[in-house]
Amino acid sequence: MNEFLRNFVMTTILKMIDNNVAEWQVREYALGWYTKEILTEEDLQTIDEKYKEKEETEQLNTEVNSNEQIEQPLEENIESEEE
C-alpha cells in the first residue's frame, strides 16, 4: 500500500513541477510526505534534480531568446541597406 501511495505522491509532485507550481509549495508538500515516511531521501533527491533540469532548460531558452533578439536588428539593418 505504501508503494502505491509513494508513486501517487511522486507523480503528483512531478506534475506540480511541470505545471509551474511555486517551488516552495512543492517542496513543502514533499516534506510533509517525507515526515510521514511515505517519500524517501531518494525521492527528495529526484525532486531536486527535476528542479535543476528545469532551471538548466529555462536558462538555455533564455540564452537562445537573447541571441535571437541580438540577431534580428542586424537582419533589419541589412534589408534597409539593400533598399
Side-chain angles (χ1 to χ4, degrees):
M1 180 68 167
N2 275 349
E3 190 61 27
F4 172 78
L5 182 57
R6 180 181 157 269
N7 287 331
F8 182 84
V9 171
M10 279 301 293
T11 300
T12 302
I13 289 171
L14 296 176
K15 288 187 183 219
M16 289 170 74
I17 294 170
D18 290 338
N19 289 320
N20 296 318
V21 174
E23 184 175 349
W24 70 268
Q25 289 177 314
V26 175
R27 290 183 183 276
E28 182 178 58
Y29 181 75
L31 284 173
W33 287 106
Y34 176 74
T35 58
K36 294 175 185 172
E37 298 183 358
I38 299 298
L39 294 182
T40 64
E41 286 185 28
E42 290 81 23
D43 295 328
L44 298 180
Q45 192 170 21
T46 300
I47 293 166
D48 201 41
E49 289 170 5
K50 181 78 171 174
Y51 272 111
K52 287 178 183 175
E53 289 172 12
K54 189 174 181 176
E55 286 175 14
E56 289 172 0
T57 302
E58 289 173 356
Q59 188 176 25
L60 229 149
N61 288 340
T62 301
E63 289 174 6
V64 168
N65 288 338
S66 295
N67 288 339
E68 288 175 359
Q69 289 175 357
I70 292 171
E71 292 174 5
Q72 284 178 350
L74 292 176
E75 291 173 2
E76 290 173 4
N77 287 340
I78 291 171
E79 289 176 5
S80 298
E81 291 174 4
E82 291 176 355
E83 294 176 0

